[in-house]
């Protein structure tokens, strides 16, 4: 399995069986991600060097408008897409095998978790997984300690309150909060 085959499979939300070629590929690639995140998190880097390391990790051309406060954690890296003028605060943890897209002008708060895999509920198959992408629109603000679960889309201009657990799609210009997250107000209609 290679990166292209893996991306095609998770885009189709292929069922990942524990011990399968796909699962073993994920473990192999996690070592690559751990190497990069160790470099990112292991010592101080000037902003330019930090951007270079981050964009090498995700396999995207570097963008001088991007900002990151380490530490940062991911277990794949190559299925993250970052727009312009995005800021990731410290302690973010992205499980990106299923795909994470972050639009332009987004602010991601401290210790935000974005997950793109669910395990099978059947105890006999618990090691198997279902990938589902997370898509974050433009001008989204995600508050500290929020968790975004697999398959969620967050619309342009939305705000996710601190500590929220987002289990369903968030409409444009909505403010959501709570566990599970619910709409508490609209920014503009």
């Amino acid at each position: 399995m290679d990166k292209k085959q893996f991306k095609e499979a998770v885009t189709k939300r292929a069922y990942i069986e524990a011990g399968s070629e796909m699962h073993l590929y994920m473990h192999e690639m996690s070592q690559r991600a751990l190497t990069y995140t160790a470099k990112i998190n292991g010592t101080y880097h000037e902003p330019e060097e930090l951007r270079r390391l981050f964009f090498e990790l995700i396999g995207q051309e570097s963008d001088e408008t991007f900002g990151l406060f380490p530490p940062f954690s991911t277990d794949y890296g190559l299925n993250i897409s970052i727009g312009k003028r995005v800021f990731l605060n410290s302690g973010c943890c992205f499980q990106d095998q299923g795909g994470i897209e972050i639009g332009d002008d987004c602010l991601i708060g401290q210790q935000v978790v974005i997950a793109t895999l669910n395990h099978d509920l059947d105890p006999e198959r618990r090691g198997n997984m279902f990938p589902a992408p997370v898509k974050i629109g433009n001008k989204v603000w995600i508050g500290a300690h929020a968790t975004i679960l697999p398959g969620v889309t967050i619309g342009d201009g939305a705000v996710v309150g601190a500590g929220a657990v987002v289990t369903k799609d968030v409409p444009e210009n909505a403010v959501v909060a709570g566990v599970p997250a619910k709409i508490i107000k609209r920014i503009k209609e």
Side-chain angles (χ1 to χ4, degrees):
M1 174 153 288
D2 62 23
K3 181 173 76 170
K4 182 180 177 198
Q5 292 169 317
F6 179 78
K7 190 158 188 169
E8 287 171 2
V10 295
T11 298
K12 294 177 184 175
R13 297 187 180 199
Y15 186 67
I16 303 167
E17 291 189 36
S20 68
E21 180 184 7
M22 194 169 172
H23 189 238
L24 296 174
Y25 171 81
M26 288 168 51
H27 279 273
E28 176 186 327
M29 294 305 290
S30 69
Q31 297 307 302
R32 176 192 173 276
L34 288 169
T35 300
Y36 274 100
T37 56
K39 290 176 188 174
I40 288 168
N41 301 327
T43 188
Y44 173 78
H45 299 283
E46 294 289 332
E48 304 81 32
E49 176 67 3
L50 196 54
R51 278 192 295 274
R52 183 189 68 75
L53 288 167
F54 182 84
F55 282 99
E56 280 182 17
L57 167 65
I58 69 169
Q60 187 176 320
E61 189 173 322
S62 187
D63 173 27
E64 66 182 24
T65 67
F66 173 78
L68 169 67
F69 285 175
F72 174 79
S73 176
T74 188
D75 47 11
Y76 184 62
L78 293 170
N79 214 357
I80 298 171
S81 172
I82 301 281
K84 301 288 185 191
R85 297 168 302 280
V86 170
F87 175 70
L88 304 180
N89 213 327
S90 62
C92 288
C93 182
F94 291 4
Q95 179 198 53
D96 69 295
Q97 288 94 338
I100 297 173
E101 294 178 24
I102 300 175
D104 296 338
D105 302 300
C106 290
L107 301 172
I108 312 296
Q110 291 177 321
Q111 297 183 344
V112 166
V113 172
I114 301 176
T116 65
L117 294 174
N118 267 323
H119 286 273
D120 198 313
L121 290 177
D122 181 343
E124 301 304 316
R125 296 190 297 259
R126 188 68 42 88
N128 300 347
M129 294 166 276
F130 302 92
V134 169
K135 297 180 182 182
I136 299 170
N138 297 317
K139 299 182 179 179
V140 171
W141 174 22
I142 301 176
H145 298 273
T147 298
I148 314 301
L149 294 181
V152 167
T153 296
I154 300 175
D156 293 347
V159 175
V160 175
V165 176
V166 184
T167 62
K168 297 180 183 172
D169 291 353
V170 176
E172 289 185 4
N173 298 311
V175 178
V176 298
V179 179
K182 296 187 183 333
I183 297 173
I184 59 170
K185 73 192 259 185
R186 301 281 183 165
I187 296 168
K188 53 185 168 180
E189 296 296 326

